[in-house]
PDB file of all heavy atoms in Angstrom:
ATOM      1  N   THR O 431       5.933  62.900 -31.151  1.00 72.00           N
ATOM      2  CA  THR O 431       5.544  61.694 -31.823  1.00 72.00           C
ATOM      3  C   THR O 431       3.998  61.670 -32.262  1.00 72.00           C
ATOM      4  O   THR O 431       3.685  61.038 -33.098  1.00 72.00           O
ATOM      5  CB  THR O 431       5.716  60.546 -30.852  1.00 72.00           C
ATOM      6  OG1 THR O 431       5.016  60.700 -29.717  1.00 72.00           O
ATOM      7  CG2 THR O 431       7.200  60.275 -30.670  1.00 72.00           C
ATOM      8  N   THR O 432       3.249  62.586 -31.568  1.00 68.00           N
ATOM      9  CA  THR O 432       1.815  62.538 -31.957  1.00 68.00           C
ATOM     10  C   THR O 432       1.128  63.861 -32.179  1.00 68.00           C
ATOM     11  O   THR O 432      -0.049  63.894 -32.172  1.00 68.00           O
ATOM     12  CB  THR O 432       1.054  61.721 -30.855  1.00 68.00           C
ATOM     13  OG1 THR O 432       1.097  62.354 -29.640  1.00 68.00           O
ATOM     14  CG2 THR O 432       1.510  60.289 -30.771  1.00 68.00           C
ATOM     15  N   ASN O 433       1.830  64.967 -31.972  1.00 60.00           N
ATOM     16  CA  ASN O 433       1.110  66.222 -32.170  1.00 60.00           C
ATOM     17  C   ASN O 433       0.659  66.484 -33.499  1.00 60.00           C
ATOM     18  O   ASN O 433       0.420  65.506 -34.277  1.00 60.00           O
ATOM     19  CB  ASN O 433       1.931  67.343 -31.446  1.00 60.00           C
ATOM     20  CG  ASN O 433       1.919  67.302 -30.078  1.00 60.00           C
ATOM     21  OD1 ASN O 433       1.291  66.556 -29.417  1.00 60.00           O
ATOM     22  ND2 ASN O 433       2.996  67.847 -29.442  1.00 60.00           N
ATOM     23  N   ALA O 434       0.697  67.673 -33.934  1.00 62.00           N
ATOM     24  CA  ALA O 434       0.209  68.124 -35.312  1.00 62.00           C
ATOM     25  C   ALA O 434       0.885  67.195 -36.351  1.00 62.00           C
ATOM     26  O   ALA O 434       2.095  67.079 -36.393  1.00 62.00           O
ATOM     27  CB  ALA O 434       0.555  69.559 -35.592  1.00 62.00           C
ATOM     28  N   ALA O 435       0.203  66.748 -37.364  1.00 65.00           N
ATOM     29  CA  ALA O 435       0.706  65.869 -38.418  1.00 65.00           C
ATOM     30  C   ALA O 435       1.864  66.398 -39.106  1.00 65.00           C
ATOM     31  O   ALA O 435       2.777  65.621 -39.512  1.00 65.00           O
ATOM     32  CB  ALA O 435      -0.511  65.500 -39.284  1.00 65.00           C
ATOM     33  N   GLU O 436       1.783  67.650 -39.408  1.00 65.00           N
ATOM     34  CA  GLU O 436       2.959  68.288 -40.036  1.00 65.00           C
ATOM     35  C   GLU O 436       4.312  68.319 -39.377  1.00 65.00           C
ATOM     36  O   GLU O 436       5.348  68.521 -39.838  1.00 65.00           O
ATOM     37  CB  GLU O 436       2.642  69.645 -40.732  1.00 65.00           C
ATOM     38  CG  GLU O 436       2.551  70.715 -39.668  1.00 65.00           C
ATOM     39  CD  GLU O 436       1.189  70.763 -39.166  1.00 65.00           C
ATOM     40  OE1 GLU O 436       0.210  69.876 -39.362  1.00 65.00           O
ATOM     41  OE2 GLU O 436       0.888  71.673 -38.357  1.00 65.00           O
ATOM     42  N   LEU O 437       4.283  68.099 -38.111  1.00 66.00           N
ATOM     43  CA  LEU O 437       5.412  68.209 -37.212  1.00 66.00           C
ATOM     44  C   LEU O 437       5.756  66.884 -36.584  1.00 66.00           C
ATOM     45  O   LEU O 437       6.587  66.724 -35.823  1.00 66.00           O
ATOM     46  CB  LEU O 437       5.151  69.228 -36.068  1.00 66.00           C
ATOM     47  CG  LEU O 437       4.989  70.679 -36.644  1.00 66.00           C
ATOM     48  CD1 LEU O 437       4.702  71.657 -35.427  1.00 66.00           C
ATOM     49  CD2 LEU O 437       6.154  71.145 -37.343  1.00 66.00           C
ATOM     50  N   ARG O 438       4.946  65.855 -36.882  1.00 77.00           N
ATOM     51  CA  ARG O 438       5.130  64.550 -36.327  1.00 77.00           C
ATOM     52  C   ARG O 438       6.286  63.735 -36.894  1.00 77.00           C
ATOM     53  O   ARG O 438       6.497  63.655 -38.077  1.00 77.00           O
ATOM     54  CB  ARG O 438       3.936  63.655 -36.514  1.00 77.00           C
ATOM     55  CG  ARG O 438       3.899  62.379 -35.832  1.00 77.00           C
ATOM     56  CD  ARG O 438       2.602  61.669 -36.040  1.00 77.00           C
ATOM     57  NE  ARG O 438       1.443  62.447 -35.670  1.00 77.00           N
ATOM     58  CZ  ARG O 438       0.324  62.398 -36.410  1.00 77.00           C
ATOM     59  NH1 ARG O 438       0.197  61.775 -37.516  1.00 77.00           N
ATOM     60  NH2 ARG O 438      -0.598  63.328 -36.037  1.00 77.00           N
ATOM     61  N   SER O 439       7.162  63.223 -36.003  1.00 83.00           N
ATOM     62  CA  SER O 439       8.187  62.182 -36.450  1.00 83.00           C
ATOM     63  C   SER O 439       7.562  61.069 -36.934  1.00 83.00           C
ATOM     64  O   SER O 439       6.524  60.553 -36.345  1.00 83.00           O
ATOM     65  CB  SER O 439       9.238  61.931 -35.412  1.00 83.00           C
ATOM     66  OG  SER O 439       9.936  63.274 -35.012  1.00 83.00           O
ATOM     67  N   ARG O 440       8.092  60.267 -37.845  1.00 88.00           N
ATOM     68  CA  ARG O 440       7.347  59.065 -38.364  1.00 88.00           C
ATOM     69  C   ARG O 440       8.296  58.144 -39.020  1.00 88.00           C
ATOM     70  O   ARG O 440       9.350  58.377 -39.415  1.00 88.00           O
ATOM     71  CB  ARG O 440       6.373  59.516 -39.383  1.00 88.00           C
ATOM     72  CG  ARG O 440       6.771  60.254 -40.587  1.00 88.00           C
ATOM     73  CD  ARG O 440       5.831  60.910 -41.408  1.00 88.00           C
ATOM     74  NE  ARG O 440       6.469  61.549 -42.550  1.00 88.00           N
ATOM     75  CZ  ARG O 440       5.945  61.729 -43.836  1.00 88.00           C
ATOM     76  NH1 ARG O 440       4.793  61.301 -44.031  1.00 88.00           N
ATOM     77  NH2 ARG O 440       6.561  62.390 -44.660  1.00 88.00           N
ATOM     78  N   LEU O 441       7.753  56.922 -39.156  1.00 90.00           N
ATOM     79  CA  LEU O 441       8.404  55.776 -39.872  1.00 90.00           C
ATOM     80  C   LEU O 441       7.759  55.661 -41.217  1.00 90.00           C
ATOM     81  O   LEU O 441       6.459  55.506 -41.191  1.00 90.00           O
ATOM     82  CB  LEU O 441       8.373  54.522 -39.015  1.00 90.00           C
ATOM     83  CG  LEU O 441       8.930  53.212 -39.674  1.00 90.00           C
ATOM     84  CD1 LEU O 441      10.378  53.323 -39.814  1.00 90.00           C
ATOM     85  CD2 LEU O 441       8.501  51.959 -38.801  1.00 90.00           C
ATOM     86  N   ILE O 442       8.578  55.668 -42.197  1.00 92.00           N
ATOM     87  CA  ILE O 442       7.970  55.528 -43.590  1.00 92.00           C
ATOM     88  C   ILE O 442       8.457  54.288 -44.168  1.00 92.00           C
ATOM     89  O   ILE O 442       9.672  54.078 -44.325  1.00 92.00           O
ATOM     90  CB  ILE O 442       8.390  56.662 -44.509  1.00 92.00           C
ATOM     91  CG1 ILE O 442       8.089  58.103 -43.814  1.00 92.00           C
ATOM     92  CG2 ILE O 442       7.745  56.694 -45.869  1.00 92.00           C
ATOM     93  CD1 ILE O 442       8.710  59.175 -44.373  1.00 92.00           C
ATOM     94  N   ILE O 443       7.490  53.312 -44.506  1.00 94.00           N
ATOM     95  CA  ILE O 443       7.886  52.018 -45.058  1.00 94.00           C
ATOM     96  C   ILE O 443       7.279  51.828 -46.513  1.00 94.00           C
ATOM     97  O   ILE O 443       6.048  51.987 -46.562  1.00 94.00           O
ATOM     98  CB  ILE O 443       7.443  50.979 -44.147  1.00 94.00           C
ATOM     99  CG1 ILE O 443       7.948  51.079 -42.667  1.00 94.00           C
ATOM    100  CG2 ILE O 443       7.868  49.529 -44.640  1.00 94.00           C
ATOM    101  CD1 ILE O 443       7.440  50.079 -41.762  1.00 94.00           C
TER     102      ILE O 443
END
Side-chain angles (χ1 to χ4, degrees):
T431 57
T432 61
N433 289 340
E436 68 273 5
L437 299 174
R438 184 179 309 136
S439 295
R440 60 193 179 147
L441 174 65
I442 305 163
I443 304 174

